[in-house]
Amino acid sequence: METPGARNCGRELLVLVAVLMVLAVAPLWAQDAASQGTQVEGIVRDAGGKPVADASVVLREADHSESRSKSLSKSLEVKTNAEGFFAFATVQAGTYTVSVEKPGFHGANEDSIKLSPGEKKHCEFVLVSWGASSTGIELDDRPNFTVAGISDSTGSGGHGSETRMRTGEVLAKETLHLESGEPAGNAGGTAAPGTLAHASENSLRAALVENPRGFEENHNLGEFYLRSSRCREAIPLLDTASRVNAKDHANAFDLAQALKDCGEFARARELADRMLANDKDLPKQQGADLHRVLGDLDEKLEDPLAAVREYERAAALDGSEQNYFAWGAELLLHRAAAPAIEVFGKGARLHPESARMLSGLGAALYTSGSAEDAAKRLCEASDLDRANSAAYLVLGKIQEAAAAALPCAEGKLARFAQEQPANALANYYYAVALWKRDRGSTDADTLRRVQALLEKASAMDAKLDVAYLQLGNLQFARGAFPEAITAYQRAIAANPDGSQAHYRLGQAYKRNGEDAKAQVEIDKYKELDQTEAATIERQRRELRQFLFVLGDQPGASRATSDPAVPSAPK
């Protein structure tokens, strides 16, 4: 281990230095040649995007297999520098957890970072101040970020472990479809569905026969079809009404919505643009509605940069729950977690009754690495709207991905299962929460409760392969390998492409002394895992990712560690 400054030293001194270095490192990490170059590094920021200096970052091995030395369960700790940067260099390949703490902030953690030999992993964490508002975020009236551009593709490296990345990507897509839980409003100035409730389709058609060129007759039947999700029938009627009275904003808005619903995005966008251009004196709410529709259309037309700017304009004109939610969801979808936290946080402050706003905030916090804070927001959301499954399902998915029990999750998921006993996922997620709390426990009562819930969930939904998978894991942990094999086989029957079920079945066969069958399942696992990885990588590269500049920061910030790329032309 000779260095330029040591070339003139004696052989004995070199040997002594080498021995001391080995003794200093060996108690923590048993290095080998295969692990050289493996490292973990990253950035810690606050909710406003500023670097957090002097935060404690702890790296701890999560793999405690019998083949490992017990000394490997110890941890390493470093402090972030003035730029919020930290690094653990030359660690052994394996699975690790990373936790970040600093006095005055909620902690953040990453449950499962898998390192291959020679791999470099980049993580990004957001610490939320204890002194923040009830939403967990301190905000002023202006956004503390600017979306500067987009990258044409993203790599798989970046904001933490593969588990969190995959779960965060699923949550981002599902967040887009969270319903407000409020009755359909008068968003475009059109009559709400209730105003047509007393008019049957036959009576509306009869009125149109009497006056086929009448504005009201065409508009009313067209709106009826639009509200009935029959956009193709609505378009010609609303189009006719528009030709009779092109200045009627309500009808034009309905026509734009019908065109969007039927996939005629370019035509719908042209109409919405024309409405904004032709009527400069639109009321703020109507203008905001049009900007939000334009955002929806731009996203469909694969122009997310234009979409996020339309959503921002909509929220600036009218700070409605719908406008803030659409803006935050678009940011989260394109991996701008820190700005999404800010937007959902302000939206939750402005609309404290909105369960889906808190759910969106929870999803964004989880994506940024703050799993415990995410769980708290989702628990609050479930209290706001106990009858709505959305917050429970997001909470359950986060608990499923987490390595340990999350605060408040078990109680809320227990309520979910109690109040919706016929919901298969309610029973499944409650079982997961119980098992995460007592994993490793031999308490027979807890194990019976978990098993009963999983069996109930699988009986309700025969396609719920994860319930069978967890049943197999439960039996495996008990050492009941034949029962575990049966459960894994049922999981595969429900979902033949589930790689984890094949892997776990292979392990169960091996423990049961059936080595040939075990090898078949392991080979199948490797094949499916490679296919899944290739599909996920393709989807990630197809997703255009926002480049954003946070307040007081000199450059664009990204969710990945890839080198900055030029913004795509608008």
Side-chain angles (χ1 to χ4, degrees):
M1 198 165 171
E2 185 175 335
T3 64
R7 286 173 182 167
N8 295 325
C9 295
R11 180 180 181 86
E12 294 81 0
L13 180 58
L14 286 175
V15 171
L16 177 61
V17 170
V19 169
L20 289 174
M21 290 180 68
V22 170
L23 290 175
V25 175
L28 289 178
W29 311 109
Q31 301 281 347
D32 57 42
S35 68
Q36 296 300 314
T38 303
Q39 61 180 285
V40 178
E41 50 90 16
I43 298 288
V44 180
R45 297 188 177 92
D46 64 17
K50 296 180 181 179
V52 177
D54 203 37
S56 296
V57 185
V58 178
L59 182 70
R60 183 176 289 106
E61 188 178 45
D63 183 2
H64 303 298
S65 62
E66 296 176 0
S67 61
R68 296 270 184 160
S69 167
K70 292 184 179 180
S71 66
L72 292 180
S73 64
K74 296 183 179 181
S75 60
L76 283 178
E77 180 176 348
V78 297
K79 296 283 189 178
T80 56
N81 64 14
E83 288 73 40
F85 179 79
F86 67 89
F88 297 94
T90 320
V91 300
Q92 189 177 24
T95 303
Y96 298 89
T97 64
V98 180
S99 59
V100 184
E101 294 183 353
K102 184 174 182 177
F105 292 85
H106 296 275
N109 66 282
E110 180 55 66
D111 291 325
S112 180
I113 294 179
K114 295 181 181 179
L115 293 173
S116 301
E119 183 179 7
K120 181 185 295 183
K121 184 72 72 175
H122 178 85
C123 304
E124 296 197 7
F125 294 94
V126 176
L127 294 184
V128 179
S129 170
W130 281 106
S133 67
S134 60
T135 64
I137 311 296
E138 294 176 326
L139 297 166
D140 57 22
D141 289 335
R142 294 171 297 177
N144 194 41
F145 65 90
T146 301
V147 175
I150 52 177
S151 65
D152 287 322
S153 64
T154 63
S156 60
H159 51 284
S161 75
E162 185 66 17
T163 299
R164 195 180 84 214
M165 284 184 71
R166 292 193 184 188
T167 304
E169 288 162 0
V170 170
L171 291 178
K173 293 174 183 176
E174 293 184 352
T175 297
L176 287 173
H177 304 294
L178 290 178
E179 296 181 359
S180 65
E182 301 171 357
N186 206 12
T190 62
T195 64
L196 294 176
H198 299 296
S200 69
E201 179 179 355
N202 288 337
S203 64
L204 291 171
R205 290 183 66 85
L208 181 64
V209 169
E210 290 291 326
N211 187 12
R213 299 298 300 171
F215 172 82
E216 292 293 336
E217 290 77 7
N218 281 276
H219 170 74
N220 287 343
L221 184 56
E223 186 184 43
F224 180 90
Y225 286 142
L226 176 62
R227 300 297 184 246
S228 303
S229 301
R230 296 159 67 179
C231 62
R232 190 56 61 192
E233 294 168 269
I235 289 173
L237 295 163
L238 296 170
D239 192 29
T240 298
S242 181
R243 294 176 191 278
V244 175
N245 183 1
K247 293 185 178 180
D248 188 274
H249 177 270
N251 184 79
F253 189 90
D254 274 356
L255 178 56
Q257 288 279 16
L259 290 167
K260 184 187 77 169
D261 291 349
C262 276
E264 297 187 33
F265 305 129
R267 185 181 169 194
R269 202 194 193 291
E270 181 182 354
L271 174 60
D273 264 336
R274 189 164 63 245
M275 292 166 66
L276 281 172
N278 291 344
D279 195 343
K280 301 295 186 181
D281 298 321
L282 277 174
K284 281 189 175 182
Q285 180 182 334
Q286 293 181 355
D289 291 337
L290 280 172
H291 282 296
R292 189 182 65 253
V293 169
L294 283 169
D296 294 344
L297 293 167
D298 284 331
E299 176 62 32
K300 295 291 187 182
L301 291 166
E302 300 183 355
D303 190 353
L305 186 59
V308 76
R309 288 172 178 167
E310 294 293 351
Y311 290 133
E312 183 174 359
R313 292 183 186 112
L317 284 172
D318 176 20
S320 69
E321 190 267 359
Q322 190 174 12
N323 290 335
Y324 263 95
F325 185 83
W327 185 16
E330 180 72 5
L331 289 164
L332 185 59
L333 177 66
H334 293 279
R335 294 194 182 178
I341 290 172
E342 182 177 338
V343 170
F344 282 129
K346 183 171 183 181
R349 188 178 71 185
L350 293 174
H351 304 280
E353 76 293 344
S354 173
R356 70 167 179 169
M357 197 73 73
L358 280 174
S359 297
L361 177 58
L365 285 166
Y366 175 80
T367 302
S368 72
S370 300
E372 292 192 0
D373 286 315
K376 292 174 184 176
R377 300 290 86 78
L378 288 159
C379 289
E380 293 170 13
S382 71
D383 288 338
L384 283 174
D385 191 357
R386 290 173 56 158
N388 193 326
S389 301
Y392 294 115
L393 294 175
V394 177
L395 177 62
K397 194 171 291 292
I398 289 176
Q399 179 61 92
E400 181 183 39
L406 295 172
C408 79
E410 181 188 333
K412 304 306 179 186
L413 293 172
R415 183 176 69 194
F416 185 28
Q418 180 180 6
E419 295 184 354
Q420 299 189 37
N423 187 320
L425 283 172
N427 289 278
Y428 168 71
Y429 283 134
Y430 181 34
V432 169
L434 280 175
W435 200 17
K436 289 289 175 77
R437 182 195 69 188
D438 291 334
R439 176 158 289 182
S441 170
T442 57
D443 180 66
D445 182 59
T446 298
L447 295 178
R448 277 195 299 268
R449 290 173 66 196
V450 172
Q451 181 173 346
L453 287 163
L454 291 172
E455 289 175 344
K456 184 178 179 182
S458 60
M460 290 176 179
D461 184 357
K463 294 297 183 182
L464 190 60
D465 60 306
V466 287
Y468 296 121
L469 178 63
Q470 292 294 358
L471 272 171
N473 292 343
L474 181 65
Q475 299 291 5
F476 190 97
R478 287 171 164 169
F481 302 120
E483 290 83 354
I485 288 170
T486 298
Y488 293 138
Q489 288 172 336
R490 295 181 72 183
I492 292 169
N495 179 16
D497 295 330
S499 62
Q500 284 302 310
H502 285 282
Y503 174 79
R504 298 295 300 182
L505 179 57
Q507 296 298 310
Y509 275 137
K510 188 172 183 180
R511 291 294 189 94
N512 205 44
E514 300 178 77
D515 291 346
K517 290 182 178 180
Q519 190 59 51
V520 170
E521 295 302 326
I522 294 300
D523 290 343
K524 184 64 176 178
Y525 157 73
K526 291 178 180 179
E527 176 189 337
L528 289 171
D529 188 60
Q530 290 178 353
T531 301
E532 288 175 7
T535 300
I536 291 169
E537 183 65 16
R538 175 181 55 77
Q539 292 172 344
R540 287 174 181 163
R541 293 195 177 278
E542 289 173 354
L543 178 68
R544 307 184 80 185
Q545 178 175 323
F546 288 142
L547 302 169
F548 55 90
V549 178
L550 296 162
D552 303 323
Q553 298 299 305
S557 179
R558 298 188 61 200
T560 75
S561 58
D562 299 337
V565 298
S567 303
K570 187 178 183 303

